[in-house]
Amino acid sequence: MIMKKITLALVVLSSFGFSACAQKSESTKSTVNPSVAAFPAPVNPMTLQNGANPSTDAFVLPPLGYAFNALEPVIDAMTMEIHHDKHHATYVTNLNKAMTTATQYSGKGLEQIFAELRPEETAIRNNGGGHWNHSMFWNWIKPGGAKEPSADLKAAIEASFGSMDEFKKQFSDAAKLRFGSGWAWLNVGADGKLFISSTANQDNPLMVNVVEKAGKPILGLDVWEHAYYLNYQNKRADYVTAFFSIINWDEVEKMWRAAKK
């Protein structure tokens, strides 16, 4: 079993072209001991400077903040390590490279960039999206939070979808039916109501000039194969079902309340 996982891990890494990760700068490496249980206080995800280092204007890889095996058996330790320390780190490295020529975005945070981003700006779109999406994803699944939505958030979900079961069905369908790589999202719309969407690759609903319907994401699920393949192989539906058991609803509620302001 161990040899099988190691072999699968090598296949995942090679298939996504991450040989350049070994040469990434020290500023993008995770320095947190994987055994650390406490998650650092996150930057408010609705602020303009999310994910940026104000002293250098460079974007940095946030520490995972909890053990790689903290989400087992839903997500295994090897997947978490590769996903955070390799995939996410590479998005940060490539975003900073792209920013050296995208001078129109100098000094701006990701969410302000997304509001102005044009579809053809693929380097910023792919890597900026990859950085923001993953930074939020680690929070949405971090251990220790509520396993069910609060009464207020549950009422909002039921008002929009009819019931929690219907919400889970629609969200699951968005994740399972996304062709190829992408994300499923629960969003707050301009009218303050919740809606579900999915995006390809590393796009997200904050990219107002890219997506069909813009909104403020309060929950997202990564359905790229690198997020689940070691444990689930081609059984994406099983991964999507298991995801609901690790959602940190406290973090979802924080984003929901921030998005309504």
Side-chain angles (χ1 to χ4, degrees):
M1 179 63 70
I2 293 174
M3 288 304 297
K4 181 181 177 182
K5 282 197 172 185
I6 291 174
T7 301
L8 282 169
L10 291 172
V11 170
V12 171
L13 282 171
S14 61
S15 67
F16 285 92
F18 280 97
S19 60
C21 285
Q23 301 173 358
K24 67 179 181 292
S25 67
E26 290 298 319
S27 65
T28 63
K29 292 182 180 178
S30 173
T31 58
V32 170
N33 186 325
S35 65
V36 174
F39 194 87
V43 177
N44 184 338
M46 293 303 165
T47 63
L48 295 179
Q49 290 302 318
N50 174 56
N53 181 341
S55 64
T56 63
D57 285 335
F59 292 93
V60 297
L61 178 68
L64 182 62
Y66 46 89
F68 292 131
N69 66 356
L71 299 171
E72 290 185 338
V74 176
I75 305 178
D76 64 282
M78 187 177 292
T79 292
M80 289 297 294
E81 181 174 4
I82 293 171
H83 200 173
H84 178 271
D85 287 6
K86 302 298 183 182
H87 290 261
H88 189 176
T90 298
Y91 289 124
V92 175
T93 297
N94 291 336
L95 173 60
N96 285 324
K97 288 179 181 177
M99 288 291 289
T100 62
T101 56
T103 55
Q104 70 274 28
Y105 298 132
S106 295
K108 296 178 180 179
L110 282 176
E111 292 173 13
Q112 187 176 1
I113 291 172
F114 293 157
E116 303 172 13
L117 186 71
R118 299 189 303 274
E120 64 270 19
E121 295 175 308
T122 54
I124 300 291
R125 176 179 172 181
N126 292 337
N127 295 294
H131 180 31
W132 191 94
N133 297 350
H134 285 89
S135 296
M136 299 301 105
F137 186 59
W138 309 136
N139 244 20
W140 289 322
I141 60 175
K142 75 177 183 181
K147 295 306 178 186
E148 297 291 338
S150 69
D152 287 347
L153 180 52
K154 183 179 179 181
I157 290 172
E158 291 174 342
S160 296
F161 304 106
S163 68
M164 282 296 298
D165 286 343
E166 182 61 23
F167 154 69
K168 289 180 179 179
K169 178 185 182 300
Q170 291 187 31
F171 188 91
S172 295
D173 286 347
K176 290 185 291 187
L177 298 177
R178 164 50 55 189
F179 182 78
S181 301
W183 292 74
W185 304 100
L186 175 63
N187 312 281
V188 175
D191 58 0
K193 295 181 180 179
L194 297 172
F195 71 94
I196 289 168
S197 64
S198 73
T199 56
N201 301 316
Q202 294 298 347
D203 292 347
N204 68 52
L206 295 171
M207 300 177 180
V208 296
N209 299 317
V210 172
V211 296
E212 183 177 345
K213 183 176 181 179
K216 294 180 178 180
I218 63 171
L219 176 66
L221 174 58
D222 186 350
V223 293
W224 283 64
E225 286 190 342
H226 65 238
Y228 65 88
Y229 206 81
L230 295 185
N231 255 9
Y232 299 92
Q233 288 82 55
N234 64 324
K235 299 175 182 177
R236 181 190 287 187
D238 291 351
Y239 162 69
V240 172
T241 298
F243 169 71
F244 289 101
S245 70
I246 59 170
I247 295 173
N248 186 320
W249 285 99
D250 289 340
E251 295 302 318
V252 178
E253 174 141 3
K254 288 177 187 177
M255 296 192 73
W256 172 59
R257 294 192 181 280
K260 294 194 301 175
K261 293 179 179 178

